[in-house]
Amino acid sequence: LNALNIFPNPGTDWFTVIIDTACKSCLVDLYDSKGRNVYNNLTFVNPQKKIRLNLSNIDNGIYLLVLNNKGEIHTGRLIIAR
């Protein structure tokens, strides 16, 4: 498992995720504290290895962000606080 750089964190609606490996598209999942998948999206990564996520429809809380790059898993804690 590789860590992600997520900012702002805590944040409100939009988050930027920086990954340390190149990929054109990655599967992004977000899990709440009860292990429920609350977000699932195939996301395209820009050349700077950044992903922008709009999580404005997700409730406040602490989440586990899991990014799957063809079987290479990256994880990070994400906090939504409005």
Side-chain angles (χ1 to χ4, degrees), residues 10-82:
T12 56
D13 297 325
W14 284 93
F15 291 83
T16 299
V17 179
I18 299 177
I19 61 173
D20 57 2
T21 60
C23 71
K24 291 183 182 178
S25 63
C26 297
L27 184 61
V28 177
D29 289 293
L30 195 64
Y31 296 93
D32 67 12
S33 60
K34 295 181 180 178
R36 295 178 295 206
N37 187 313
V38 297
Y39 179 88
N40 177 275
N41 193 28
L42 181 63
T43 304
F44 293 97
V45 182
N46 70 23
Q48 293 79 32
K49 301 180 183 175
K50 292 182 181 178
I51 299 170
R52 292 278 291 155
L53 299 175
N54 178 359
L55 301 177
S56 59
N57 61 337
I58 306 294
D59 292 335
N60 287 351
I62 299 172
Y63 296 90
L64 175 66
L65 180 73
V66 179
L67 188 143
N68 186 336
N69 176 20
K70 298 178 184 174
E72 183 178 321
I73 306 297
H74 302 263
T75 62
R77 186 178 75 166
L78 183 145
I79 301 170
I80 299 175
R82 295 185 187 91

